[in-house]
Amino acid sequence: MNKDDLTYLAYAAGWGLVKRLPEPAADALFRRIADMAWKRQGKSVLRLEANLRRVRPDLDEAGIRALSRQGMRSYLRYWCESFRMPVWSKDKIRGSFAPEHIDRLDDTLAAGRGVILALPHMGNWDLAGAWVVVRGYPFTTVAERLRPEKLFDAFVAYREGLGMEVLPLTGGAHTMATLAKRLRAGKLVCLVGDRDLSANGIEVDFLGEKTRMPAGPAALAAQTGAALLPVTLWYDETKTMRGRVHEEILVPEEGTRREKTAAMTQAMADVWAVGVREHAEDWHMLQRFWLADLEPRPEQPTADARPVEAQA
């Protein structure tokens, strides 16, 4: 049995077994897993702590270690919720998320205008999506292809089961055209967009250092006239995830298409940076994020450029 098969079996076991556990037992199990991973200080935990030092330069090493422990518990809470969500009732989903300023989404869609909700890897973006669907807004999103293929198929089936239309980021026919079509029809598109270290990413300043983010959310907004609304998510001490729908990122009146996209992506990054600094423990960035941390290889200047889910 190869590594891909083991990976698939691990996820399949999660979806098959965790949802059958009583909720308190599942929560305790994943909290214990988080603490065990944190104590081992493996590669992912060390990377998380390196990222947190940039987010919270005011903390000493003891503070960073405490923050990374909270971060691992938040990350494993995401997975526990995700494995259990397929059996949640609509009422359970409604009661598990309480965002601020949801009127910005409601009013825009009611006016017949498309909306792009753009999220960083904070909290549980799948729960936020399921909550939106339960409120009557089915939406379209994009998923990165994973290895093995059956794992990608499982993620697609999971999200489609929550009511989302899922398009492949690569290998699919006319993904961007389909997103644009949905937006022009006044529909909703949700995209996770805080990391794209490929050469196609838009370079932005994030908390004082350079990184790259996907051009897609801003480019689609400029192309279709849809409203680009950044979202931030976080957990508190309750069982209800919190969030905020921020003000629309407007399309600049002047500049080339590329310049407009770059300016909007930077504005979006600025919004997310505030949220990440306020709730650093809920930013699930266990991979290289800033350009200064990349390790260039011959003919591959943007190493470690896979999305978070592909590396998880």
Side-chain angles (χ1 to χ4, degrees), residues 44-52 68 71-72 283 285-286:
S44 294
V45 173
L46 293 177
R47 174 50 53 190
L48 174 62
E49 292 180 352
N51 290 336
L52 290 175
S68 70
M72 291 303 297
W283 187 44
M285 192 54 62
L286 281 70

Side-chain angles (χ1 to χ4, degrees), residues 2-11 144-155 310:
N2 60 33
K3 182 179 179 180
D4 285 349
D5 290 333
L6 290 172
T7 300
Y8 173 74
L9 288 175
Y11 281 104
E144 173 73 13
R145 285 196 177 275
L146 306 178
R147 295 191 306 270
E149 187 73 16
K150 57 187 175 182
L151 179 58
F152 171 74
D153 293 339
F155 266 106

Side-chain angles (χ1 to χ4, degrees), residues 219-239:
L220 283 166
Q223 177 186 350
T224 66
L228 176 57
L229 303 179
V231 177
T232 50
L233 308 172
W234 65 92
Y235 293 124
D236 59 16
E237 297 303 318
T238 72
K239 295 292 291 181

Side-chain angles (χ1 to χ4, degrees), residues 70 162 198 205 244 248:
Q70 295 175 40
L162 297 176
S198 73
D205 180 274
R244 182 176 297 120
E248 179 183 352

Side-chain angles (χ1 to χ4, degrees), residues 14-21 23 26-27 30 76-97 123-134 139 155 157-164 233 235 239 241 309:
W15 274 305
L17 299 177
V18 177
K19 65 185 179 184
R20 294 184 173 88
L21 291 174
E23 186 170 301
D27 291 344
F30 276 72
L76 267 293
R77 175 174 170 174
Y78 160 80
W79 282 111
C80 185
E81 290 174 345
S82 296
F83 287 142
R84 296 178 60 80
M85 222 184 308
V87 297
W88 281 9
S89 67
K90 290 184 177 180
D91 286 341
K92 171 70 171 175
I93 292 172
R94 286 192 190 97
S96 296
F97 183 38
N124 189 334
W125 46 95
D126 286 329
L127 172 55
W131 185 88
V132 167
V133 171
V134 167
F139 65 87
F155 266 106
Y158 159 63
R159 286 178 174 143
E160 288 179 342
L162 297 176
M164 311 174 193
L233 308 172
Y235 293 124
K239 295 292 291 181
M241 183 175 70
E309 282 181 359

Side-chain angles (χ1 to χ4, degrees), residues 162-233:
L162 297 176
M164 311 174 193
E165 178 187 20
V166 183
L167 306 176
L169 179 61
T170 57
H174 313 300
T175 293
M176 288 295 287
T178 301
L179 293 174
K181 181 179 180 180
R182 299 289 184 271
L183 292 169
R184 290 194 176 101
K187 304 298 183 181
L188 175 63
V189 166
C190 297
L191 300 172
V192 178
D194 58 342
R195 186 173 186 269
D196 181 0
L197 300 184
S198 73
N200 295 323
I202 298 291
E203 187 171 301
V204 298
D205 180 274
F206 192 80
L207 295 172
E209 293 199 41
K210 298 295 183 182
T211 187
R212 295 194 191 102
M213 294 185 177
L220 283 166
Q223 177 186 350
T224 66
L228 176 57
L229 303 179
V231 177
T232 50
L233 308 172

Side-chain angles (χ1 to χ4, degrees), residues 25-147:
D27 291 344
L29 172 63
F30 276 72
R31 190 180 184 92
R32 182 176 181 183
I33 294 171
D35 286 349
M36 290 171 61
W38 175 78
K39 288 178 181 178
R40 287 198 196 103
Q41 284 193 285
K43 182 179 178 181
S44 294
V45 173
L46 293 177
R47 174 50 53 190
L48 174 62
E49 292 180 352
N51 290 336
L52 290 175
R53 289 186 189 97
R54 284 186 166 95
V55 176
R56 293 292 307 276
D58 55 306
L59 295 181
D60 59 16
E61 281 305 300
I64 291 296
R65 281 293 285 158
L67 187 59
S68 70
R69 184 177 192 178
Q70 295 175 40
M72 291 303 297
R73 287 180 173 181
S74 174
Y75 183 55
L76 267 293
R77 175 174 170 174
Y78 160 80
W79 282 111
C80 185
E81 290 174 345
S82 296
F83 287 142
R84 296 178 60 80
M85 222 184 308
V87 297
W88 281 9
S89 67
K90 290 184 177 180
D91 286 341
K92 171 70 171 175
I93 292 172
R94 286 192 190 97
S96 296
F97 183 38
E100 303 169 2
H101 303 302
I102 195 63
D103 57 290
R104 289 169 176 159
L105 171 65
D106 293 338
D107 294 347
T108 306
L109 289 175
R113 187 181 175 202
V115 172
I116 303 162
L117 291 181
L119 305 88
H121 286 89
M122 292 184 74
N124 189 334
W125 46 95
D126 286 329
L127 172 55
W131 185 88
V132 167
V133 171
V134 167
R135 292 189 76 246
Y137 298 137
F139 65 87
T140 305
T141 189
V142 173
E144 173 73 13
R145 285 196 177 275
L146 306 178
R147 295 191 306 270

